[in-house]
Amino acid sequence: MVSTVNTKLTEEQLALLPTEDDIAFYEEHGWYISKKVLSDEIIEEAIRGSERFYNGERDRTLPVDTGFTNWKPEDGYDVVRNNEFVSLQNRELKNLVMQPIIGAIAARLARTKVIRLLDDQLVYKPPQNPDGKSAVGWHADKAYWSTCTSHNLLTTWIPFHNCDESIGPLVVLDGSHKWSGIQDTRFFNNHNLDDMEQNFRGEGRKTVRVPMTLEKGQISFHHCWTIHGSLPNYSNSRRLALAIHLQDEENRYQEFWSKQGKKVQIADELMCRKLPNGNPDFSDPDVFPILWSAR
């Protein structure tokens, strides 16, 4: 497999890619934690970029400004801040997203030769949150991406600092990507993780929480059907992280209707160019750049 890897990787980076055993683990459990693959310098640059972003500085404006989550100062500062498509607006965050090691790991895990960006989210959690409202509820990413054809999409989570359980890390339910009947698992804003988890167990499922406790420079990956959320931030420090949502080579747009008969539309469709048949082009390089290619 090494011979097909993009030559942008150094020999040191090649040694950091997941092994076949790692890939088998990901396929069985729905998640993977990398070695330290990002330098402190890259992350510190991303922190500076996030601060510029929160101060209102933009290097590029988006073609639309509605239809996606976009925290603004008037929403309050002592709250969870969730901003999507940040790498399209900020050069430092784009530089992080475009690090070839990220796409190369994703390509191996998804067994694909090409990885494209789908979306990203900059998430800030305020410190000292005793009421638990900085928790993010259980959800499966693919439940929000019903107009994507692929069931092989994946997400990488990048904390900008050491991340233990006290600071509110991402947490996954082990093996949940293999559960059936989870297509409507969209509870991002439900802070009560225990109650939701009890509901899963009530349906006869075994739930095993795995917190993504990482050192600065490590990143985690999870399958698009892996149910995950994040714990409250009880620490004295802010929690700042970037989630990068990734497309495999086979992903395309498809029409999709809700159970109520309403045609579903996601923000990605509003951002990109159209194909000759009028469908959104999920390979538009301006919105969904290639992060890795072994071709």
Side-chain angles (χ1 to χ4, degrees), residues 122-174:
L122 182 67
V123 182
Y124 167 102
K125 288 188 177 187
Q128 297 180 322
N129 186 244
D131 61 5
K133 288 187 177 179
S134 64
V136 170
W138 298 118
H139 63 284
D141 292 334
K142 183 63 169 71
Y144 292 97
W145 303 331
S146 51
T147 60
C148 289
T149 57
S150 176
H151 293 272
N152 203 26
L153 308 167
L154 67 167
T155 294
T156 182
W157 184 68
I158 307 174
F160 290 175
H161 39 67
N162 293 339
C163 203
D164 61 21
E165 289 193 47
S166 72
I167 205 168
L170 183 83
V171 59
V172 305
L173 295 182
D174 188 65

Side-chain angles (χ1 to χ4, degrees), residues 255-273:
E255 291 186 343
F256 192 89
W257 283 264
S258 70
K259 292 178 180 178
Q260 294 73 35
K262 182 178 179 181
K263 189 175 182 180
V264 173
Q265 184 178 62
I266 63 176
D268 306 68
E269 302 166 34
L270 306 175
M271 299 281 179
C272 65
R273 68 190 182 188

